[in-house]
């Protein structure tokens, strides 16, 4: 019991953190509590409080991030900070959550594909064995027909048909690749560019596709924050005549927008995993421009037409950003 509870202590006169004289329950200089608990019970309470405190902010922030992104961004820029998760904290949390969900959603697909390939190959081998048995039976019937001189042509045609079918099956078995039957899988880049440095990179990717995917995932998560500085010059170009808008506004916009995209990718991965790939594809095409339109209009107080043409431009910018980002992480991953 003594390990959990602590004896009552006198109210301290100085802050334990900065040694400032105390005049109340909190230090007016650094904000730390005057009375410090030192018990296992309170340690658990602090953890619970931290989770619930984040959840309270998250429950306000996430619905607005999805349905009212412009208002959320505008409120945060205008100084409404205490009620919402900060854009940087939300972005970092969403990126980690996205990579975790995507990895979890697709972790079992390789095993499932391997089982399917093995089953398909087994069925293929069984069909070949069945055709060989039919040919053997037809050849026996042909021998009997030749000995008796009856229906020789019909028996010969049956043997020829069986041999043709077997030849087609065996030829197909050579053309079909079974990369998941325990052999090393082939790469996914075909052809050469003629530039040695690029061709060396492509050869490395082809020789180590699984390792490349692993490195891309880790590097993508590690350097995801680079998407923000990459996007800022493009956003500035969209509003270069607006003197009331600063780079800080663009940074908050970018962080909240990227947070939503990470949340959406995580959701789409789950939908694809539960065989709702068509719905996921539809959302991937339709949701981002609608969200960008709402966020642009609310954040920068734009009219419908101004928000529409900037949404189109921002879609092009987003594609450019992703291309630059992919080239960057690919370069960093294969070094």
């Amino acid at each position: 019991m003594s390990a959990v509870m602590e004896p009552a202590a006198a109210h301290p006169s100085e802050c334990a953190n900065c040694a400032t004289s105390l005049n109340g329950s909190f230090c007016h200089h650094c904000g730390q509590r005057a009375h410090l608990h030192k018990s296992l019970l309170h340690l658990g309470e602090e953890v619970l409080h931290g989770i619930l405190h984040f959840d309270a902010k998250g429950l306000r922030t996430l619905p607005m991030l999805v349905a009212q992104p412009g208002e959320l961004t505008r409120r945060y820029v205008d100084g409404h900070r205490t009620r919402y998760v900060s854009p940087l904290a939300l972005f970092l949390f969403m990126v980690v959550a996205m990579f975790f969900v995507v990895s979890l959603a697709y972790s079992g697909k390789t095993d499932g594909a391997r089982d399917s390939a093995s089953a398909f190959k087994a069925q293929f081998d069984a069909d070949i064995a069945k055709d060989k048995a039919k040919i053997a039976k037809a050849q026996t019937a042909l021998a009997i027909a030749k000995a008796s001189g009856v229906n020789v042509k019909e028996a010969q045609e049956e043997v020829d048909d069986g041999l043709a079918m077997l030849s087609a099956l065996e030829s197909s078995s050579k053309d079909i690749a079974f990369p998941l039957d325990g052999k090393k899988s082939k790469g996914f880049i075909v052809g050469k560019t003629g530039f040695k440095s690029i061709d060396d990179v492509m050869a490395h990717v082809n020789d180590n596709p699984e390792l490349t995917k692993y490195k891309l995932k880790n590097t993508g998560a590690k350097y995801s924050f680079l998407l923000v500085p990459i996007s800022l010059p493009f956003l500035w170009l969209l509003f270069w005549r607006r003197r009331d808008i600063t780079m800080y506004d663009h940074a908050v916009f970018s962080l909240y927008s990227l947070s939503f995209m990470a949340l959406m990718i995580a959701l789409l991965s789950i939908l694809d995993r539960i065989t709702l790939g068509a719905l996921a594809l539809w959302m991937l095409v339709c949701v981002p421009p609608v969200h960008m339109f709402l966020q642009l209009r609310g954040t920068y107080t734009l009219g419908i037409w101004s928000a529409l043409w900037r949404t189109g431009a921002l879609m092009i910018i987003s594609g450019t950003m992703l291309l630059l980002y992919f080239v960057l992480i690919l370069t960093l991953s294969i070094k």
Side-chain angles (χ1 to χ4, degrees), residues 4 7 9 39 130 142 145 157 259 308:
V4 175
S39 67
K130 188 183 296 183
L142 176 60
E157 287 178 352
S259 298
L308 277 174

Side-chain angles (χ1 to χ4, degrees), residues 146-222:
K146 286 181 177 180
S148 62
V150 180
N151 296 329
V152 175
K153 184 178 179 181
E154 184 178 340
Q156 184 65 54
E157 287 178 352
E158 188 173 351
V159 171
D160 292 341
D161 290 343
L163 289 171
M165 181 63 71
L166 178 61
S167 177
L169 283 172
E170 289 179 337
S171 177
S172 298
S173 69
K174 293 177 182 178
D175 294 335
I176 296 175
F178 297 98
L180 301 175
D181 60 357
K183 299 178 182 179
K184 183 179 178 180
S185 60
K186 297 181 179 179
F188 43 81
I189 298 179
V190 180
K192 293 186 177 182
T193 64
F195 297 95
K196 186 178 184 305
S197 57
I198 298 177
D199 290 339
D200 289 344
V201 170
M202 293 167 60
H204 176 80
V205 172
N206 273 339
D207 292 339
N208 306 278
E210 297 302 323
L211 178 61
T212 301
K213 292 176 186 177
Y214 175 78
K215 286 184 176 181
L216 283 174
K217 182 181 71 173
N218 287 348
T219 307
K222 187 185 299 183

